[in-house]
């Protein structure tokens, strides 16, 4: 269940009173420790003891070494099966904390309190937990729902602009795949900031939750959430491997431009709709220089995508603004043309 918190966090306090937890562990990174933890502790009313678990910020921490450290700390602090883990942070914290909690002693309870726009609208919802392995993202993980998700949009006030814009890409995606009115509202925002995006967080959350409710294990409609992500992930990985990491949403924005054009080339989307989509996304995101990326390197990554079966590249593509199809196999010629379209 997703709850938007009041300023006094009363719904969280009710939740903590109703359930009989033995102890609370709050997982933060250095930034959410500084900016979000004081707000949580200032409002949390509980007689239970709690411990703060802090990790360094960043995707590089989302690995088995960190998970192992956290499992060890939980063991040393005698966390039993009635302990609660509160994940207070962005997607790295909710993925990592969810993974550690869902595996420790075969699973203890956890809640997510997302603090980035990306985690509010996307990562904290849907029950996917996980860590990266070697240079592959989210290779090891579980499907486990948090007990609850509590959203407090004011946490966004301290979030750097680039992080906010990164999360906004997922909101645009939600509009494009499922809700034209949501898309229209978002693209009418002129200045991206906490205030302008906050009214639309709930709709994005609900779109994600609704899709997940229909298809938890990603057999069908959940695949639509991958729009922009097939090419987007390849761009994200190549930038990273060249020592020039970019934010996930920045890669997804570029991926959505390529895949909107690909939807058009494949005869699914009208040229007019494709043009509107591409121009709207370009309004928010600077051009990423992918001119040096070789087609074969991009294809190698596309073929490695977790969504593929039998070495075929599966795309989720738009058939209109607000409608998306999945398991579409595009021709190699059109994939290359969509990349060249972006390059030019
Ligand atoms: P993140 O957790 O790294 O947070 C981004 C940065 O913002 C970090 O430096 C963090 O310390 C800082 N931060 C967080 N909240 C802040 C606040 N309120 N004020 C100031 N700084 C703050 O990254 P993210 O973009 O939230 O999430 C990305 C991760 O989410 C990736 O690992 C991705 O794989 C994962 N993800 C998971 C799912 C899923 O379904 N499980 C979906 C999408 C993304
Ligand atoms: Zn994403």
């Amino acid at each position: 269940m997703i709850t938007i918190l009041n300023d006094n966090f009363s719904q969280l306090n009710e939740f903590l009173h109703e359930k009989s937890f033995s102890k609370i562990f709050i997982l933060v990174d250095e930034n959410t420790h500084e900016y979000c933890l004081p707000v949580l502790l200032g409002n949390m009313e509980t007689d239970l003891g709690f411990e703060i678990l802090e990790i360094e910020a960043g995707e590089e921490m989302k690995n088995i070494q960190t998970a192992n450290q956290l499992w060890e700390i939980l063991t040393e602090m005698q966390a039993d099966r009635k302990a609660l883990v509160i994940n207070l942070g962005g997607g790295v914290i909710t993925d990592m904390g969810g993974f550690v909690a869902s595996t420790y002693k075969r699973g203890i309870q956890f809640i997510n309190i997302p603090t980035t726009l990306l985690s509010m609208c996307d990562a904290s919802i849907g029950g996917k937990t996980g860590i990266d392995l070697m240079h592959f993202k989210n290779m090891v993980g579980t499907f486990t729902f948090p007990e609850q998700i509590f959203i407090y949009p004011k946490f966004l006030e301290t979030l750097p602009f680039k992080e906010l814009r990164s999360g906004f890409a997922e909101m645009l995606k939600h509009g494009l795949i499922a809700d034209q009115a949501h898309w229209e509202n978002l693209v009418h925002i002129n200045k991206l900031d906490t205030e302008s995006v906050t009214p639309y967080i709930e709709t994005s959350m609900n779109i994600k939750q609704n899709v997940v409710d229909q298809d938890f294990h990603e057999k069908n409609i959940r695949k639509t959430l991958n729009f922009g992500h097939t090419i987007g992930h390849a761009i994200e990985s190549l930038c990273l491997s060249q020592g020039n990491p970019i934010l996930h949403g920045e890669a997804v924005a570029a991926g959505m431009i390529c895949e909107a054009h690909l939807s058009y080339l494949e005869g699914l989307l009208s040229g007019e709709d494709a043009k509107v989509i591409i121009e709207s996304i370009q309004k928010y995101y600077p051009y990423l220089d992918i001119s040096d990326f070789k087609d074969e390197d991009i294809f190698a990554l596309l073929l490695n995508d977790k969504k593929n079966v039998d070495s075929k590249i599966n795309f989720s593509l738009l058939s209109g603004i607000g409608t998306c199809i999945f398991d579409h196999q595009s021709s190699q010629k059109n994939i290359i043309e969509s990349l060249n379209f972006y390059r030019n």
Side-chain angles (χ1 to χ4, degrees), residues 29 31-32 35-36 57 59 62 90-92 95 115-116 118 122-123 128 137-138 155 158-160 163 208:
D29 68 22
N31 296 317
T32 61
Y35 299 116
C36 308
E59 182 74 25
K62 212 178 95 175
V92 168
D95 273 12
T115 61
T116 63
L118 189 132
D122 190 358
K128 284 187 185 175
K137 281 193 51 142
N138 308 322
F155 279 138
T158 54
L159 192 69
E163 297 288 352
K208 165 111 193 216

Side-chain angles (χ1 to χ4, degrees), residues 67-99:
N68 194 48
Q69 281 167 11
L70 293 170
W71 286 320
E72 286 183 5
I73 295 172
L74 289 173
T75 308
E76 280 160 14
M77 291 183 169
Q78 297 174 348
D80 62 20
R81 291 183 82 168
K82 292 185 90 181
L84 174 73
V85 175
I86 299 182
N87 297 318
L88 179 67
V92 168
I93 290 294
T94 56
D95 273 12
M96 168 61 78
F99 176 67

Side-chain angles (χ1 to χ4, degrees), residues 25 27 53 66-68 70-71 74 79-87 93-112 129-131 142-147:
F25 293 86
L27 180 64
L53 312 177
T66 309
N68 194 48
L70 293 170
W71 286 320
L74 289 173
D80 62 20
R81 291 183 82 168
K82 292 185 90 181
L84 174 73
V85 175
I86 299 182
N87 297 318
I93 290 294
T94 56
D95 273 12
M96 168 61 78
F99 176 67
V100 166
S102 69
T103 47
Y104 176 78
K105 295 199 170 174
R106 296 203 178 81
I108 59 173
Q109 298 182 74
F110 66 98
I111 60 174
N112 288 338
T129 80
I131 54 172
T142 66
F143 272 112
T144 318
F145 275 118
E147 291 303 304

